Structure formats: structure tokens, C-alpha cells
Amino acid sequence: GSSARTARARPSGAPTPAMALEIKPETLKFPFELRKQIRCDLFLRNAGSTAVAFKVKTTAPKKYCVRPNIGIVAPGATVEVQVIMQSQKEQPADLAACRDKFLVQSVETTAAEASQLDASTFQKAEGKTIGESKLRVAYTTPAMPPTVSEEGLASPMATPAGRAAANNGGGGATYDNDLDAATMNYKASQAEVSRMQREISDYKLQVSELKSKAAAGQDVAGEARPRRALLLA
């Protein structure tokens, strides 16, 4: 039909309304901790001149709570979506490389409220462009029990700068928060290496002391034997 021809006739470099939705971050990062809900904010910005409806899906719907999971972004506006990982009783097997994924669907809409949207809004049809953006999930280093040298390094949220970056909706703040988290994870890893090196040194010292005591015990026993033999004679 003519609508299909119109869609094909659009210049390849011209963004469609659905493509005008900017999504940050591309990877949802959760500082994993057992038995604790963990939140990561997603920001959807409509850089176009037409309202865009969005819907957020995940491969693990029982594990995550998304608020709101469907809505409308007005032209020039930004919507904050809260992604909350439910409290986990045990450490996931894919901690190093999480396999969970999210999908953000977007489409041009004339609806005024999210309540007017339904499943058919995001169904593909001739002449209708549905934008789809896939997001990955990553776990940052689990928080370790704080010591004198590691105080405050367990989580990016432990510092005022980390909290400010997390609460700030700006794109730059999101990247700053990622950098702060990476720096803290590196420092925490270095502190863990130092702790393990101290433990190894302690073990070596204990082994050395045990060997010295054992050698001293053999000397005493060796000296005692001739005395007993002399008495018996």
C-alpha cells in the first residue's frame, strides 16, 4: 500500500520518531548484595517532535520490577524508569557475566495518557515503525565487609558524590557514576589483594615458628636419651 511505500521512501539518514528515543545507560549496572533490593535508573529522552510511547520488557520478569514499564515520552522530555532487582537469597551463578537482558520498545503515538496504550500499540504492522533497543545487565563487585582500609569502598552509594550522581538525571552524571563505581571497585580489589598478602605472610610466620618448635623438641629428646641410658647403667 501507499503507507508501505512512504516508509521505504524515508531517507536512510533521517531518524524515525521511535529512533528519536535516547536511552541511557546501555548497560544496567547493579552493585550486587545478598538479601537486598538494588535499584538502577533508566532514562528515556525524546529528542524528536512527536510523542513516543515506550514499553520495557525483560527476560527475567520475576527477578526485576520496572516502574513504569509502559508510558509516553513527550517531545523534548525525559522519563525516569526505575529498575529494581528483587532481593536475592544466594549469589547468582552468572555473577561475572549476567545473562539477563532488557528490551525497550518505542513507537510514535497520539495517545495522551499511558492508560490509553495496550498490547496492540507495540504490535508490528505495515507502515508502522517499532523501535527496539536491547540493554544488557552487569553486576559490579559485591560489597565486602568494611575494614579500616576499606571503609566506604563497598558501594558507589557510600559517598555523597556517588549518591548525587545516582540521583541526577543528566547523561553526564550517569557516566560519572559509572566511572566512580569502576574506580571504587578497583580500589576495593587492591585492598583485597593486600589483605590476602598479609594473610599469606602470617601463615608463613606460623609455619616457621612451628618448625622451630619441632626442631627444639627433637634436640631436647636427643639429649634426654643418653641420660636415661646412664641411669640404667
Side-chain angles (χ1 to χ4, degrees):
S2 61
S3 61
R5 286 196 296 273
T6 301
R8 286 196 296 269
R10 183 186 300 274
S12 59
T16 64
M19 287 169 58
L21 196 64
E22 298 177 356
I23 303 170
K24 293 183 180 180
E26 295 181 356
T27 299
L28 298 174
K29 297 183 179 181
F30 295 89
F32 185 83
E33 291 186 57
L34 289 173
R35 298 177 178 82
K36 182 179 180 182
Q37 284 190 340
I38 305 169
R39 169 181 159 184
C40 180
D41 292 337
L42 190 62
F43 297 96
L44 312 180
R45 178 176 177 270
N46 184 355
S49 57
T50 307
V52 173
F54 71 87
K55 185 174 185 179
V56 183
K57 297 180 177 180
T58 177
T59 56
K62 293 183 179 180
K63 186 175 179 180
Y64 300 93
C65 175
V66 182
R67 303 173 183 168
N69 69 325
I70 190 170
I72 298 173
V73 189
T78 298
V79 170
E80 177 183 344
V81 177
Q82 296 179 6
V83 181
I84 302 172
M85 185 172 68
Q86 301 299 325
S87 174
Q88 302 295 304
K89 295 182 179 179
E90 57 185 27
Q91 192 164 293
D94 59 350
L95 185 66
C98 183
R99 292 188 294 270
D100 298 341
K101 290 181 175 60
F102 281 80
L103 176 69
V104 180
Q105 293 181 308
S106 55
V107 63
E108 180 182 5
T109 183
T110 56
E113 298 179 0
S115 58
Q116 297 175 279
L117 306 176
D118 54 28
S120 64
T121 304
F122 302 94
Q123 287 179 349
K124 295 182 180 179
E126 187 177 9
K128 184 178 181 182
T129 302
I130 305 291
E132 293 189 339
S133 298
K134 296 180 181 180
L135 309 177
R136 296 189 304 111
V137 175
Y139 298 127
T140 56
T141 305
M144 295 180 295
T147 65
V148 175
S149 61
E150 299 168 10
E151 191 69 41
L153 296 179
S155 168
M157 297 300 289
T159 65
R163 288 192 293 271
N167 293 331
N168 192 327
T174 301
Y175 294 119
D176 289 344
N177 191 27
D178 290 346
L179 180 59
D180 290 344
T183 301
M184 290 178 180
N185 289 336
Y186 173 78
K187 290 181 178 178
S189 299
Q190 291 296 99
E192 178 68 8
V193 170
S194 297
R195 184 185 65 79
M196 293 177 68
Q197 288 176 338
R198 289 195 300 271
E199 288 183 0
I200 292 172
S201 297
D202 291 342
Y203 291 148
K204 287 182 177 178
L205 182 61
Q206 290 177 13
V207 170
S208 178
E209 290 176 352
L210 289 172
K211 286 182 177 179
S212 297
K213 290 179 181 178
Q218 289 174 357
D219 291 343
V220 171
E223 292 172 3
R225 278 194 296 273
R227 291 196 198 100
R228 285 198 299 271
L230 186 60
L231 291 172
L232 289 172

